[in-house]
Amino acid sequence: MILLPYDGSADAQAAIDSAARLAPGADATVLTVWVAFELQLDAKSRDAALATVAEGAQRATAAGLVCTPRVAALDGDVASTILAVAADLDADVIAMGTRGLGAIKAFMLGSVSHAVVQDADRSVLVVPSPAVVARRRHQPDRAVASM
């Protein structure tokens, strides 16, 4: 079973597409982490999470995965919540994007994908968006340049 953390970003979309290409017809759970704020905002943030997970599940199903949507309330941080759900589901692999929607937040708090890779007890597939791939292909090879 594949766990697909999904926030609507191009990277998360690319992760779904890659997982479907690598394991067509596989069972998958699309996960959106619900971040509750103040009491009056809870309904709006929950509704947004439900809409996001429905979008991800639709994409996964259209790509050929057998999909179950799941929304989880934030438990600590996003990476810890993803890992807890992966353990609960006994996922074989977590397939996720390199970056989500919050680039500035990721810069300040650290990358969720990096934290998942560092703390995972199962395989993690980290997938960049097509835009990130194109940008990286046009950069000089950093490893060669530093030699």
Side-chain angles (χ1 to χ4, degrees), residues 15-99:
I16 288 175
D17 297 343
S18 290
R21 280 193 306 277
L22 292 170
D27 289 331
T29 295
V30 173
L31 170 69
T32 295
V33 177
W34 170 37
V35 182
F37 298 103
E38 298 172 16
L39 189 56
Q40 65 269 29
L41 297 176
D42 278 354
K44 288 183 181 181
S45 62
R46 183 174 182 276
D47 289 348
L50 290 171
T52 299
V53 79
E55 172 191 303
Q58 181 179 20
R59 184 179 194 97
T61 300
L65 297 170
V66 178
C67 184
T68 302
R70 182 166 175 168
V71 174
L74 184 68
D75 183 20
D77 59 48
V78 176
S80 296
T81 304
I82 291 167
L83 292 169
V85 172
D88 181 53
L89 296 173
D90 195 24
D92 297 302
V93 63
I94 302 167
M96 61 190 303
T98 54
R99 293 279 185 204

Side-chain angles (χ1 to χ4, degrees), residues 101-110:
L101 292 174
I104 292 173
K105 183 177 178 183
F107 173 74
M108 293 175 64
L109 302 177

